[in-house]
Amino acid sequence: MEMKNIEDLKEMIIPVLVILLIWFIIRRVFQGISDKINNAEQHRDDLLNVLEEIRDELKDLNKKNLNN
């Protein structure tokens, strides 16, 4: 009788473990995608900041050249 209970318990636990495993895999995939998106946005913001600084420096140089 006890062997039957252990077999029933295995039949209940294995599908739950499979579902948990699939959930963790899907979660890791989406987390990786999210990290890539966040890194791309951060890179874009950094690039925009650098370009704005270059633009400002070019404006200043242009003003100095016009005044000379």
Side-chain angles (χ1 to χ4, degrees), residues 14-31:
I14 290 175
V16 171
L17 291 176
V18 169
I19 290 171
L20 284 174
L21 179 66
I22 292 171
W23 182 77
F24 278 115
I25 291 171
I26 291 172
R27 185 171 166 241
R28 292 287 295 179
V29 168
F30 281 122
Q31 191 175 26

Side-chain angles (χ1 to χ4, degrees), residues 26-61:
I26 291 172
R27 185 171 166 241
R28 292 287 295 179
V29 168
F30 281 122
Q31 191 175 26
I33 292 170
S34 175
D35 289 345
K36 286 187 183 290
I37 291 171
N38 289 338
N39 287 341
E41 288 177 359
Q42 182 64 39
H43 179 69
R44 185 195 70 212
D45 291 342
D46 291 344
L47 183 61
L48 284 174
N49 287 337
V50 168
L51 289 173
E52 286 174 358
E53 289 176 15
I54 292 171
R55 181 197 64 201
D56 293 341
E57 287 181 24
L58 287 173
K59 281 182 183 179
D60 290 342
L61 284 173

Side-chain angles (χ1 to χ4, degrees), residues 3-16:
M3 211 51 173
K4 176 96 168 111
N5 289 340
I6 292 174
E7 290 297 321
D8 289 342
L9 193 60
K10 281 184 187 176
E11 289 178 11
M12 289 172 40
I13 291 178
I14 290 175
V16 171

